[in-house]
């Protein structure tokens, strides 16, 4: 590369070379500081990988087992859903679903209700009374919308018209349930009358969604319809789209299809709102951790550069006497510091990739850690990371720039000194 | 070429005021080989620093090659130093991470010269100071005398208007010091470069063509000498 001569301009290359030589001279210090930066970059990348994995898995587990991509409910139902009201329903569900299917949507009705699961000693180990949620599911259509059927671990999915129930592995283990055991559900009908259903456990499922595993039992929709006297009404019609990003389905076309019905069409983000708030909080905590990491890296590099500037005071004085401009001296140290940042970023990207690979492949098994605590998140007991190259690159670039900028603080202070004072320094 | 008029400089260090220069007036012509002599604390370094544009006077005037540098801003002084002034320090002050060659060529790189010219001039001046074959040694691998030769080469390679050397031989044994002075005088004779160096060593003063004695911040005597 040729450098053309320009009046009053010094090729910055000169200072770049000087910076590299100084980095090589103080190899130990360079490597130690770079390692600190590398740790920061790697941990940042790992945290981002887990956070992203966490949120995308949580979204997927919501969609695949609870919310679907979109949902049609009665107005006001969603706000009251924790009470499982059976008087706010979507009427004529067969018609609604037929209408949706005609337009190419995959849809299934579900009736969700609250009740008590009553079990008796023999065959169960002891008598019991478990308040929990139930859902009537359409054996034909539900597998088109949810992945519940795929997660049957033992036994089978309940069949239409039968008095059958499936429960989650977690619950089954707690109450000692086996396939073939009979249970009773005590609940109320749509009109509020007490009702008792005697059902047989025909399947045990194990989904990655712990909420479902612990708290929900499923029976055929028509069985539920019969016992609860729903008359073809359901608490929700759930729709599954082909959207690539989980939860990004646009509900507008469905809404216009449902225009004439007294229903509300909810998108995934409508349904996920509260969870998104929790997510945001945990993101804030994460960014706090990241800030802490950044501070550690900044303290490391600024310490190193402060030392570098102080011990080269005479050299700086000499350079200034030779006619090196203050700006050029600043560049020299900027190059040196961002060079250290660059090495740190390089090591950090490698280390971070390794961590990500471990997280993607093996995940973090925190199941034991949390025990039975339900945080309201929807992820399994092993939390997997996802590849987040943007986090790696973002962290690397930040490390390089921040390192360089941090170096300017001690350099500027040094340049405020008189040249003669710098030279006199011993 | 250099006109110094009624130069004053006072250092204030807390309570104590030190009047380092108390009215220096002198004229230095191109091609002089001038020694500023005087006991410790007489103001030699202070005077060289002011002429070298790395310090500012309290009052008085220095005109350097037509520029009144005492009225200039720090930004302009950098440019003057870069183009016109070469420094040689008592303790060499080479950059430890650079080789002899690089220490010298840095000066030319700062001026933005072409690579080929930088190389030719650097090699020539290193030969001149007798360091041929040692271009790739770092300062740590050079003796004191050799390091000072690199420093002289660094100061001279840009063909400055003046070379300022503050006690250039104080850290060298007398034989080595003499060889450095001989070398500088040779350059002064052949190239007409102006040298101003300070010392309190009578042997060193003997090399000077003009000897200016300072005492307590004033010129005590100023005389031309024949070689
Ligand atoms: N930065 C400073 N702050 C305070 N006093 C100073 C400073 N620099 C020099 N002096 C004082 O100014 C006076 C002249 O100092 P200067 O360094 O010019 O003397 P010098 O002739 O070079 O002495 P030496 O032979 O010891 O190098 C001395 O009394 C010195 O103590
Ligand atoms: Mg002195």
């Amino acid at each position: 590369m040729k450098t053309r001569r320009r009046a009053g301009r010094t090729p910055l290359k000169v200072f770049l070379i000087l910076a590299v030589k100084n980095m090589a001279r103080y190899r130990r210090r360079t490597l130690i500081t770079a390692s600190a930066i590398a740790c920061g970059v790697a941990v940042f990348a790992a945290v981002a990988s887990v956070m992203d994995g966490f949120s995308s898995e949580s979204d997927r587990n919501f969609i695949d087992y609870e919310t679907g991509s979109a949902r049609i409910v009665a107005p006001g139902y969603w706000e009251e859903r924790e009470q499982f009201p059976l008087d706010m329903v979507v009427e004529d569900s067969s018609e609604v679903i037929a209408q949706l299917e005609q337009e190419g949507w995959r849809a299934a009705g579900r009736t969700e209700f609250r009740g008590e699961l009553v079990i008796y000693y023999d065959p169960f180990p002891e008598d019991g009374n478990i308040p929990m949620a139930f859902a009537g599911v359409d054996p034909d259509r539900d597998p088109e919308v949810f992945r519940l059927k795929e997660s049957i671990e033992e036994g089978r999915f309940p069949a239409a018209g039968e008095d059958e129930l499936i429960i989650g592995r977690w619950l089954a283990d707690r109450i000692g349930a086996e396939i073939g055991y009979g249970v009773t559900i005590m609940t109320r009908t749509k009109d509020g009358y007490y009702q008792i259903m005697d059902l047989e456990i025909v399947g045990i499922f194990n989904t990655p969604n712990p909420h479902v595993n612990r708290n929900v039992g499923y029976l055929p929709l028509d069985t539920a319809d019969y016992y609860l006297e729903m008359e073809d009404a359901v608490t929700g019609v759930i729709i599954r789209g082909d959207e690539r990003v989980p939860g990004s389905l646009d509900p507008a076309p469905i809404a216009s299809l449902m225009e004439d019905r007294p229903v509300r069409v909810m998108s995934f983000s409508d349904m996920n709102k509260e969870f998104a708030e929790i997510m945001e909080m945990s993101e804030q905590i994460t960014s706090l951790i990241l800030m802490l990491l950044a501070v550690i890296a900044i303290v490391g590099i600024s310490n190193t550069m402060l030392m570098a500037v102080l011990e080269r005071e005479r050299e700086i004085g000499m350079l200034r006497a030779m006619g090196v401009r203050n700006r050029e001296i600043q560049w020299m140290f900027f190059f040196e510091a961002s060079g250290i940042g660059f090495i740190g970023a390089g090591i950090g990207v490698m280390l971070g990739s390794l961590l990500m690979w471990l997280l993607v492949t093996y995940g973090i098994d925190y199941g034991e850690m949390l025990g039975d605590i339900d945080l309201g998140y929807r992820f399994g007991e092993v939390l997997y990371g996802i590849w987040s190259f943007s986090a790696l690159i973002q962290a690397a670039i930040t490390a390089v720039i921040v390192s360089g900028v941090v170096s300017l603080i001690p350099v500027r202070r040094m340049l405020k000194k008189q040249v003669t004072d710098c030279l006199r320094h011993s | 070429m250099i006109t110094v008029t009624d130069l004053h400089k006072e250092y204030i260090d807390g309570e104590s005021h030190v009047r380092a220069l108390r009215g220096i007036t002198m004229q230095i012509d191109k091609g002089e080989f001038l020694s500023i002599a005087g006991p410790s604390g007489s103001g030699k370094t202070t005077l060289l620093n002011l002429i070298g544009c790395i310090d500012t006077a309290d009052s008085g005037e220095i005109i350097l090659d037509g520029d009144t540098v005492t009225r200039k801003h720090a930004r302009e002084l950098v440019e003057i130093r870069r183009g016109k002034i070469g420094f040689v320090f008592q303790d060499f002050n080479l950059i430890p991470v650079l080789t002899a060659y690089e220490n010298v060529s840095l000066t030319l790189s700062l001026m933005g010269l072409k690579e080929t010219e930088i190389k030719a001039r650097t090699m020539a001046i290193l030969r001149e100071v007798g360091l041929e074959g040692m271009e790739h040694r770092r300062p740590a691998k050079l003796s004191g005398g050799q390091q000072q030769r690199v420093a002289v080469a660094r100061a001279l390679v840009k063909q400055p208007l003046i070379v300022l050397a503050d006690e250039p031989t104080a850290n060298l044994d007398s034989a080595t010091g003499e060889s450095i002075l001989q070398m500088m005088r040779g350059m002064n004779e052949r190239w007409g470069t102006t040298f101003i160096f300070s010392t309190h060593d009578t042997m060193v003063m003997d090399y000077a063509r003009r000897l200016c004695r300072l005492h307590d911040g004033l010129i005590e005597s100023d005389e031309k000498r024949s070689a």
Side-chain angles (χ1 to χ4, degrees), chain A residues 10 21 314 323 325 328, chain B residues 79 81-82 91 96-97 102:
Chain A
T10 313
K21 295 206 163 168
R314 283 182 71 90
R325 303 176 183 109
E328 292 163 340
Chain B
E79 304 302 328
R81 293 201 297 269
R82 178 180 286 227
D91 38 19
V97 294
E102 291 163 336

Side-chain angles (χ1 to χ4, degrees), chain A residues 55-76:
Chain A
S55 98
S56 87
E57 177 174 336
S58 186
D59 281 359
R60 226 175 310 114
N61 287 342
F62 261 120
I63 293 168
D64 288 347
Y65 303 98
E66 286 188 66
T67 61
S69 308
R71 168 182 299 240
I72 298 167
V73 292

Side-chain angles (χ1 to χ4, degrees), chain A residues 39-61:
Chain A
C39 288
V41 169
V43 172
F44 176 95
V47 170
S49 161
V50 172
M51 282 305 295
D52 288 359
F54 169 54
S55 98
S56 87
E57 177 174 336
S58 186
D59 281 359
R60 226 175 310 114
N61 287 342

Side-chain angles (χ1 to χ4, degrees), chain A residues 3-5 9-11 13-15 18 21-22 25 314-315 318-325 328 418-420 423, chain B residues 49 54-55 78-79 81-82 87 89 91 93-98 102 106-107 109-115 154 158:
Chain A
T3 40
R4 215 182 319 143
R5 185 175 178 174
R9 276 273 178 126
T10 313
K13 203 177 82 187
V14 177
F15 301 101
L18 254 175
K21 295 206 163 168
N22 274 314
R25 179 184 181 202
R314 283 182 71 90
E315 193 175 312
M318 189 275 296
L319 287 170
R320 293 171 75 189
M322 271 175 74
V324 176
R325 303 176 183 109
E328 292 163 340
Q418 292 274 321
V419 179
T420 49
L423 279 170
Chain B
N49 287 348
I54 54 175
D55 204 356
V78 181
E79 304 302 328
R81 293 201 297 269
R82 178 180 286 227
F87 282 97
F89 301 95
D91 38 19
N93 262 335
L94 299 178
I95 297 177
V97 294
L98 298 183
E102 291 163 336
L106 175 66
T107 318
S109 301
L110 289 179
M111 298 168 76
L113 298 188
K114 272 195 298 217
E115 213 56 54
R154 176 176 67 184
K158 65 179 171 189

Side-chain angles (χ1 to χ4, degrees), chain B residues 4 7 29 60 70 82 85 89 95 100 110 115 135-136 153 170 174 202 211 214:
Chain B
V4 178
L7 205 59
D29 294 323
T70 32
R82 178 180 286 227
I85 297 164
F89 301 95
I95 297 177
L110 289 179
E115 213 56 54
E135 300 90 349
H136 300 299
S174 57
T202 46
L211 183 64
L214 290 190

Side-chain angles (χ1 to χ4, degrees), chain B residues 10-190:
Chain B
E10 190 177 73
Y11 292 107
I12 300 165
D13 195 3
E15 293 289 282
S16 68
H17 292 224
V18 181
R19 299 178 64 187
L21 296 181
R22 299 190 291 156
I24 302 282
T25 299
M26 66 194 298
Q27 168 84 32
I28 302 162
D29 294 323
K30 183 163 171 43
E32 285 204 65
F33 198 68
L34 165 66
S35 172
I36 309 281
S40 185
S42 56
K44 304 183 294 292
T45 300
T46 306
L47 180 59
L48 287 187
N49 287 348
L50 288 174
I51 295 173
C53 302
I54 54 175
D55 204 356
T56 47
D58 298 332
S59 68
E61 196 178 64
I62 300 172
I63 301 173
L64 219 167
D65 199 25
D67 283 330
T68 309
V69 296
T70 32
R71 274 200 229 123
K72 290 204 184 279
H73 195 266
R75 264 176 212 286
E76 299 167 289
L77 294 179
V78 181
E79 304 302 328
I80 291 172
R81 293 201 297 269
R82 178 180 286 227
K84 298 183 177 174
I85 297 164
F87 282 97
V88 176
F89 301 95
Q90 179 180 329
D91 38 19
F92 328 135
N93 262 335
L94 299 178
I95 297 177
V97 294
L98 298 183
T99 62
Y101 177 91
E102 291 163 336
N103 263 287
V104 176
S105 68
L106 175 66
T107 318
L108 299 178
S109 301
L110 289 179
M111 298 168 76
L113 298 188
K114 272 195 298 217
E115 213 56 54
T116 48
E117 189 179 351
I118 292 176
K119 178 145 196 216
R121 279 170 71 169
T122 304
M123 291 310 284
I125 196 85
L126 282 171
R127 206 173 309 127
E128 192 67 40
V129 298
L131 287 177
E132 208 170 3
M134 296 181 210
E135 300 90 349
H136 300 299
R137 291 204 202 168
R138 299 239 174 120
K141 291 270 161 68
L142 293 170
S143 72
Q146 288 166 337
Q147 287 189 53
Q148 197 62 307
R149 282 166 187 272
V150 176
V152 171
R154 176 176 67 184
L156 273 122
V157 74
K158 65 179 171 189
Q159 297 164 357
L161 200 67
I162 26 166
V163 174
L164 296 165
D166 191 10
E167 312 211 27
T169 61
N171 277 12
L172 301 172
D173 63 70
S174 57
T176 314
E178 262 191 271
S179 73
I180 295 282
L181 277 164
Q182 243 155 13
M183 184 181 80
M184 295 205 300
R185 209 168 76 173
M187 290 167 159
N188 165 263
E189 280 164 6
R190 269 174 295 142

